[in-house]
Amino acid sequence: MSYTKVAAIYADSEALSGKEVQVGGWVRTIRDMKTFGFIELNDGSCFRNLQVVFADGEVANYKEIAGQNVGAALVVTGTVVLTPEAKQPLELRASSVRVEGTSSPEYPLQKKRHSVEYLRTIQHLRPRTNLFSAVFRVRSAAAYAIHEFFQERGFVYIHTPIITASDCEGAGEMFRVTTLDLENLPRTGDGAVDYGEDFFGKSANLTVSGQLNAENFAMAFGDVYTFGPTFRAENSNTQRHAAEFWMIEPEMAFTDLKGDMDVAEAMIKHIIRRVMERCPDDMNFFNSFVDKGLIERLSHVASSDFARVSYTEAVDLLKQHNDKFDYKVEWGCDLQTEHERYLTEQIYKKPVFVTDYPKEIKAFYMRLNEDGKTVAASDCLVPGIGEIIGGSQREERLDVLERRIRELGMKPEDYWWYLDLRRYGSCTHAGFGLGFERMVMYLTGVSNIRDVLPHPRTVGNAEF
Amino acid sequence: MSYTKVAAIYADSEALSGKEVQVGGWVRTIRDMKTFGFIELNDGSCFRNLQVVFADGEVANYKEIAGQNVGAALVVTGTVVLTPEAKQPLELRASSVRVEGTSSPEYPLQKKRHSVEYLRTIQHLRPRTNLFSAVFRVRSAAAYAIHEFFQERGFVYIHTPIITASDCEGAGEMFRVTTLDLENLPRTGDGAVDYGEDFFGKSANLTVSGQLNAENFAMAFGDVYTFGPTFRAENSNTQRHAAEFWMIEPEMAFTDLKGDMDVAEAMIKHIIRRVMERCPDDMNFFNSFVDKGLIERLSHVASSDFARVSYTEAVDLLKQHNDKFDYKVEWGCDLQTEHERYLTEQIYKKPVFVTDYPKEIKAFYMRLNEDGKTVAASDCLVPGIGEIIGGSQREERLDVLERRIRELGMKPEDYWWYLDLRRYGSCTHAGFGLGFERMVMYLTGVSNIRDVLPHPRTVGNAEF
């Protein structure tokens, strides 16, 4: 007899009514009423528990079962009974219960509310709580929705490299990747570390973005996307930054900034709709216990147009509220999270694309506008988070791009292959990057990035 | 007017016949017949080119277009004309052609056959060739098929960490991840490198497997899978090894070794079927130009049962052919690629699972069988590749696992959280790892792993 998932029992309850099934799962609560008992069993297939009723005389080992602790793994064989009058729609009346693995009174997840800070110290067990089981189920559904969105539109999924010898952003703080023996470093004639002896024959790092590589493939496939881990060695300890996080980076040939924003907006709406369809119980939990109003807000976002405003207009709007900000806004400044959130939360009350930023605060590969001062960039800001997407039309003109690289003190020869794309069949193209964890935070209302990553990596933390 | 993809024109040719469309793509070939010309235009949306006919008098800039080089990016507006008598089913009769980006006679991809070795030196351009466009389209379709397979079965996708402070296999050669300044290393009192000063406050590496972390989540969700990059710092220069590659690692609670093999077999069949359905032109190309008989072989695999044989039986079978092997087979030895391939190609002529290997040649976490000598492991071998999947039932008994860890000279305290899974609600569970690049090699017939990775990383190579 094979196992039936709790999700399948709820989904097919009418068909399974009166039928015998076998379920494997873990005890969330157990109550011994002397001659019969109740178990709330969770198998992780859905948010909901399955109520198991076991009675002395019906199961052979009543005492053994009644004595189990929270966290024990059980295999229950029994009959599905619909209970339309009860709180829960059905229960499983056990004919046999087998203990697969016991637990103990020291089990760290007793039936009480634990702080998220404490739960971060037991990351191997926290997925067994309501909060984290919902978070990681939504994370998985969101990831699949993203693949679905792009694949259905003919985008080719590209695994851009994780280890890289170039620094895409020309700036980011990067992790070094090495096989050199640090206790015995090879040296060149002049005493410097000899990276020629390293694994790749040169200095190598963890990628901060797959974009430049993705452009190689957009110039062959038209529409491509990446979905992979990226890294920042920033010594910052905020709720929104992790050293290792996942990014989605679509890149589209024959597409301008408007087309880029259209795809970004459609993608966010698709993710929201799919997650609400596929994880209703998880979303209701977040709506009730984490962020009241979440579902209404997401529904509103999924069905309304995002605002679009130029950086110059946004600065004019924000300057009127400079008394509210720690950092005063003026043209030329980089928008801080406080400004981004004010714009999306207070002024527009919905997601907003801010476009055409001053070139000085944006990356070298963004397309220079006709005004010579701004670039065709576009950041998408959402309530509660701030920036969730950064995108731009890419500079497709060889001469302009080379000039920009030199202006920034970088060497064109380091970008020979990226420049080649502008030598052979260059075209209008654009792309963006979605920070996946920020999207999951937006979907769940969870406010700390450490609580949406399976095992977060931050300054001083690489446990588990 | 928005752009229409070439794939959409072929898919909807009846409906689009006589209609005007606009296409953006790159010149694969161009022929100037003086008063009219032909362009084979490719936009990467499918394997096939679109034949564009442009005539003097019909397009305003005939001379400019006729003078374009292979590789140029064009935007063509024209009418779809069905051509049932011609080689190709339709063509686009141009009313206007705009040059988005020129190419030059120095364009490295001229119309001739290039060696894969040469193409590896221009990885930014090789996706524009027939071979590599097919490879990466199939790679993308295979990746999506994998997500589809697991998501449709309720598996939760887990992003296990890339940076880790533990070594899962207890053996692998790993890459160090560090932000220490190698020219100026911090030292402890006794002169050793002080990793307490490193980013994570300890020594950290790139993961070789997400399995141990995945088990944390299987013990909460039942069925989970990972799909992410993994790393080996092996100084080996073979056709089958890369320093950075992608793995899929499902992990299933309440599942034994048989269930594990059932899922692995169903997954491989699902991938084959979906890729053959979704990439028929690409697969025909491989079948004709890379590996004759590929489609017949894959179709056979998708519709027949995989063989299953114990290691002990396999060794008995192989010993009868020891005269053919460089390394002679005997019980206790690790199977070499020559043995694996002989078994799957010569003896079974289809994929085969080899089970129950000697514990000495397998990892510590594999479940010890009743005989005390073998473990409940299972490798899946396929023709042309050898091992494509390695899996096992995991040791769920705390005492047995602790003993095994000590036997191997490892410290139980380094595995405290992994052992906790056996303290609180342990259960029968199993999982496997699929090497994604090996799967793509198997699907395409491409024999070198460097040619199925977008930008391969191997000893001495981290270009692009």
Side-chain angles (χ1 to χ4, degrees):
Chain A
M1 188 173 186
S2 70
Y3 295 73
T4 303
K5 296 284 183 186
V6 172
I9 295 175
Y10 281 113
D12 294 330
S13 58
E14 294 292 335
L16 287 172
S17 173
K19 299 273 186 344
E20 191 176 75
V21 296
Q22 192 171 46
V23 177
W26 294 270
V27 174
R28 284 285 178 90
T29 66
I30 184 162
R31 277 182 297 156
D32 175 9
M33 317 293 280
K34 300 304 167 195
T35 56
F36 64 99
F38 296 105
I39 297 167
E40 291 288 322
L41 197 73
N42 190 288
D43 73 350
S45 64
C46 60
F47 185 83
R48 283 189 276 183
N49 300 323
L50 176 67
Q51 172 154 300
V52 174
V53 187
F54 63 108
D56 201 358
E58 294 181 16
V59 300
N61 51 348
Y62 182 83
K63 283 237 167 72
E64 182 198 7
I65 302 306
Q68 292 302 311
N69 291 297
V70 172
L74 306 179
V75 171
V76 182
T77 307
T79 305
V80 176
V81 179
L82 301 189
T83 54
E85 278 101 66
K87 197 170 52 153
Q88 69 287 342
L90 55 83
E91 62 188 23
L92 189 65
R93 185 157 274 265
S95 56
S96 86
V97 183
R98 191 177 80 237
V99 179
E100 279 261 334
T102 58
S103 183
S104 83
E106 284 75 47
Y107 182 55
L109 293 174
Q110 293 303 317
K111 206 202 162 185
K112 63 164 198 163
R113 216 186 171 95
H114 301 282
S115 73
V116 288
E117 289 78 13
Y118 169 68
L119 292 171
R120 280 179 215 142
T121 68
I122 48 168
Q123 284 168 27
H124 58 313
L125 301 175
R126 69 176 182 171
R128 304 180 189 188
T129 64
N130 280 339
L131 174 63
F132 288 96
S133 95
V135 163
F136 294 119
R137 216 177 283 107
V138 163
R139 185 179 168 107
S140 173
Y144 188 49
I146 289 166
H147 282 297
E148 197 178 52
F149 176 84
F150 288 113
Q151 295 271 349
E152 283 175 357
R153 282 159 185 78
F155 284 62
V156 176
Y157 178 28
I158 304 293
H159 293 104
T160 48
I162 310 303
I163 298 173
T164 171
S166 70
D167 176 351
C168 165
E169 303 277 343
E173 294 178 73
M174 300 176 84
F175 288 102
R176 175 181 301 283
V177 175
T178 182
T179 54
L180 293 178
D181 176 1
L182 300 203
E183 298 290 359
N184 189 17
L185 287 167
R187 303 279 174 182
T188 59
D190 60 0
V193 173
D194 184 4
Y195 294 109
E197 297 289 310
D198 210 343
F199 189 89
F200 297 106
K202 59 169 73 168
S203 179
N205 300 296
L206 291 179
T207 186
V208 297
S209 162
Q211 179 204 316
L212 303 199
N213 294 121
E215 286 188 50
N216 291 338
F217 291 85
M219 293 296 126
F221 293 107
D223 295 335
V224 302
Y225 71 109
T226 73
F227 191 156
T230 49
F231 304 85
R232 297 287 150 81
E234 277 169 35
N235 196 343
S236 61
N237 229 325
T238 80
Q239 294 215 322
R240 307 190 315 145
H241 291 88
E244 174 181 319
F245 55 99
W246 287 64
M247 288 252 285
I248 294 94
E249 299 184 283
E251 197 67 36
M252 294 159 279
F254 302 103
T255 298
D256 61 12
L257 192 66
K258 180 182 174 300
D260 199 44
M261 289 188 283
D262 291 345
V263 171
E265 180 170 338
M267 179 197 67
I268 287 185
K269 289 175 175 175
H270 175 88
I271 300 169
I272 291 173
R273 285 196 202 105
R274 279 288 182 275
V275 166
M276 295 213 298
E277 271 165 37
R278 291 178 186 161
C279 306
D281 292 336
D282 302 296
M283 294 305 292
N284 282 330
F285 172 82
F286 295 124
N287 195 54
S288 300
F289 295 103
V290 177
D291 185 359
K292 292 201 197 303
L294 177 73
I295 288 181
E296 193 188 325
R297 197 167 65 241
L298 290 175
S299 304
H300 175 64
V301 166
S303 61
S304 59
D305 291 339
F306 291 15
R308 300 186 185 194
V309 61
S310 75
Y311 168 89
T312 302
E313 293 167 291
V315 165
D316 284 345
L317 288 169
L318 288 167
K319 273 162 80 172
Q320 298 166 28
H321 306 277
N322 256 343
D323 55 311
K324 300 198 181 68
F325 302 133
D326 290 339
Y327 293 87
K328 307 304 168 196
V329 177
E330 58 178 322
W331 202 95
C333 79
D334 205 355
L335 298 183
Q336 306 294 317
T337 302
E338 60 174 337
H339 310 136
E340 292 175 345
R341 292 188 58 172
Y342 194 87
L343 203 60
T344 179
E345 289 168 18
Q346 305 299 324
I347 299 181
Y348 287 99
K349 301 186 199 305
K350 63 179 178 179
V352 51
F353 287 104
V354 180
T355 65
D356 305 298
Y357 285 77
K359 66 176 178 178
E360 286 75 16
I361 59 173
K362 287 291 180 185
F364 74 93
Y365 50 71
M366 298 189 177
R367 190 179 196 281
L368 191 66
N369 285 328
E370 297 304 307
D371 62 16
K373 294 190 305 183
T374 61
V375 289
S378 157
D379 286 358
C380 182
L381 317 177
V382 297
I385 307 278
E387 187 197 327
I388 196 167
I389 283 178
S392 76
Q393 193 171 323
R394 316 308 188 188
E395 185 55 76
E396 86 283 8
R397 296 163 295 186
L398 180 62
D399 56 336
V400 182
L401 183 58
E402 277 187 323
R403 194 188 324 136
R404 191 82 187 112
I405 286 175
R406 283 185 220 278
E407 268 174 24
L408 292 168
M410 305 185 298
K411 292 184 206 145
E413 56 268 33
D414 290 345
Y415 296 87
W416 67 272
W417 50 268
Y418 191 66
L419 291 168
D420 261 8
L421 301 180
R422 280 74 183 166
R423 285 188 187 100
Y424 307 120
S426 188
C427 70
T428 306
H429 67 291
F432 63 85
L434 168 70
F436 183 58
E437 281 71 23
R438 290 196 183 171
M439 187 71 212
V440 178
M441 291 163 75
Y442 185 51
L443 288 166
T444 59
V446 168
S447 58
N448 195 312
I449 197 168
R450 289 163 184 76
D451 299 328
V452 300
L453 277 156
H455 292 301
R457 271 72 179 102
T458 55
V459 188
N461 289 295
E463 281 297 327
F464 301 96
Chain B
M1 188 174 188
S2 70
Y3 294 74
T4 303
K5 295 285 183 186
V6 172
I9 294 175
Y10 281 113
D12 294 330
S13 58
E14 295 292 336
L16 288 171
S17 173
K19 298 274 186 347
E20 191 175 75
V21 297
Q22 191 171 48
V23 177
W26 294 271
V27 175
R28 283 284 178 91
T29 67
I30 184 162
R31 277 182 296 156
D32 175 10
M33 319 292 279
K34 301 303 166 194
T35 55
F36 64 99
F38 296 105
I39 298 167
E40 291 288 324
L41 196 74
N42 190 290
D43 73 350
S45 64
C46 59
F47 185 82
R48 282 189 277 183
N49 299 322
L50 177 68
Q51 172 154 299
V52 174
V53 186
F54 64 107
D56 199 1
E58 292 180 18
V59 300
N61 51 347
Y62 181 83
K63 284 237 169 70
E64 183 196 7
I65 302 307
Q68 291 302 311
N69 291 296
V70 172
L74 305 179
V75 171
V76 182
T77 308
T79 306
V80 176
V81 179
L82 301 188
T83 54
E85 279 100 64
K87 199 169 49 149
Q88 68 288 340
L90 55 82
E91 62 187 26
L92 189 65
R93 185 158 275 268
S95 56
S96 85
V97 184
R98 190 178 79 238
V99 179
E100 278 261 333
T102 58
S103 182
S104 83
E106 285 73 48
Y107 182 54
L109 293 174
Q110 294 303 316
K111 204 201 166 188
K112 61 162 197 162
R113 216 183 171 94
H114 300 282
S115 73
V116 289
E117 289 77 14
Y118 168 68
L119 291 171
R120 279 178 215 143
T121 68
I122 49 168
Q123 284 167 28
H124 58 311
L125 302 176
R126 69 177 183 171
R128 304 181 189 188
T129 63
N130 279 338
L131 174 63
F132 288 97
S133 96
V135 163
F136 294 119
R137 215 176 284 107
V138 163
R139 186 180 167 106
S140 172
Y144 188 48
I146 289 166
H147 282 297
E148 198 178 51
F149 177 83
F150 288 112
Q151 295 271 348
E152 283 175 359
R153 281 158 185 78
F155 283 63
V156 176
Y157 179 28
I158 303 294
H159 293 104
T160 49
I162 310 302
I163 298 173
T164 169
S166 69
D167 175 351
C168 163
E169 303 277 341
E173 295 179 71
M174 300 176 84
F175 287 101
R176 175 181 301 286
V177 175
T178 181
T179 54
L180 293 178
D181 177 1
L182 301 203
E183 300 289 359
N184 190 15
L185 288 168
R187 304 279 174 181
T188 58
D190 59 1
V193 174
D194 185 3
Y195 294 109
E197 296 290 308
D198 209 343
F199 190 88
F200 297 106
K202 59 168 74 169
S203 179
N205 300 297
L206 291 179
T207 185
V208 297
S209 163
Q211 179 203 317
L212 303 199
N213 295 120
E215 285 186 52
N216 290 339
F217 291 85
M219 292 296 126
F221 293 108
D223 296 335
V224 303
Y225 71 109
T226 73
F227 191 156
T230 49
F231 304 84
R232 297 287 150 81
E234 279 170 33
N235 197 341
S236 62
N237 229 323
T238 80
Q239 294 214 321
R240 307 189 315 145
H241 291 90
E244 174 180 318
F245 55 99
W246 287 63
M247 288 253 284
I248 295 93
E249 298 184 283
E251 197 67 35
M252 296 159 277
F254 302 102
T255 298
D256 61 11
L257 192 66
K258 182 184 172 300
D260 199 42
M261 289 188 281
D262 291 345
V263 171
E265 181 170 337
M267 178 197 69
I268 287 185
K269 289 175 175 174
H270 175 89
I271 299 170
I272 291 173
R273 285 195 202 106
R274 279 286 183 276
V275 166
M276 295 214 297
E277 271 167 38
R278 290 177 187 161
C279 306
D281 294 334
D282 302 295
M283 294 306 290
N284 282 330
F285 171 82
F286 295 124
N287 195 54
S288 301
F289 296 103
V290 177
D291 184 358
K292 291 200 196 307
L294 177 74
I295 288 182
E296 193 188 326
R297 196 166 67 241
L298 290 174
S299 304
H300 176 63
V301 166
S303 60
S304 59
D305 290 339
F306 291 15
R308 300 187 185 193
V309 60
S310 76
Y311 169 89
T312 302
E313 293 168 289
V315 165
D316 284 345
L317 289 168
L318 288 167
K319 272 162 80 172
Q320 298 167 27
H321 306 278
N322 256 343
D323 55 313
K324 301 200 181 66
F325 303 135
D326 290 339
Y327 293 89
K328 307 305 169 194
V329 176
E330 58 178 323
W331 201 97
C333 79
D334 205 354
L335 297 185
Q336 305 294 317
T337 302
E338 58 174 337
H339 310 137
E340 293 175 344
R341 292 188 58 173
Y342 194 88
L343 203 61
T344 177
E345 290 168 19
Q346 304 300 323
I347 298 181
Y348 288 100
K349 299 185 198 310
K350 63 179 180 180
V352 52
F353 287 103
V354 180
T355 64
D356 304 297
Y357 286 77
K359 68 176 178 179
E360 285 76 15
I361 59 173
K362 287 292 181 185
F364 74 94
Y365 49 72
M366 299 190 179
R367 190 179 195 278
L368 192 65
N369 285 326
E370 297 303 306
D371 62 15
K373 294 191 303 181
T374 62
V375 289
S378 158
D379 286 357
C380 183
L381 317 177
V382 297
I385 306 281
E387 187 197 326
I388 197 167
I389 283 178
S392 76
Q393 194 171 322
R394 317 307 189 188
E395 184 55 76
E396 86 282 8
R397 295 162 295 186
L398 180 62
D399 56 336
V400 182
L401 183 59
E402 277 187 324
R403 193 188 325 136
R404 191 83 187 110
I405 286 175
R406 282 185 222 277
E407 268 174 24
L408 292 167
M410 305 186 299
K411 294 184 203 142
E413 55 268 35
D414 288 346
Y415 295 88
W416 68 272
W417 50 268
Y418 191 65
L419 291 167
D420 261 7
L421 302 181
R422 280 75 183 165
R423 284 188 187 100
Y424 308 119
S426 188
C427 69
T428 306
H429 66 293
F432 63 86
L434 168 70
F436 184 58
E437 281 72 23
R438 291 197 181 169
M439 187 70 212
V440 178
M441 292 163 74
Y442 185 53
L443 288 167
T444 59
V446 168
S447 58
N448 195 311
I449 197 170
R450 289 163 183 78
D451 299 328
V452 300
L453 277 155
H455 292 302
R457 270 74 177 102
T458 55
V459 187
N461 289 296
E463 282 296 326
F464 301 97

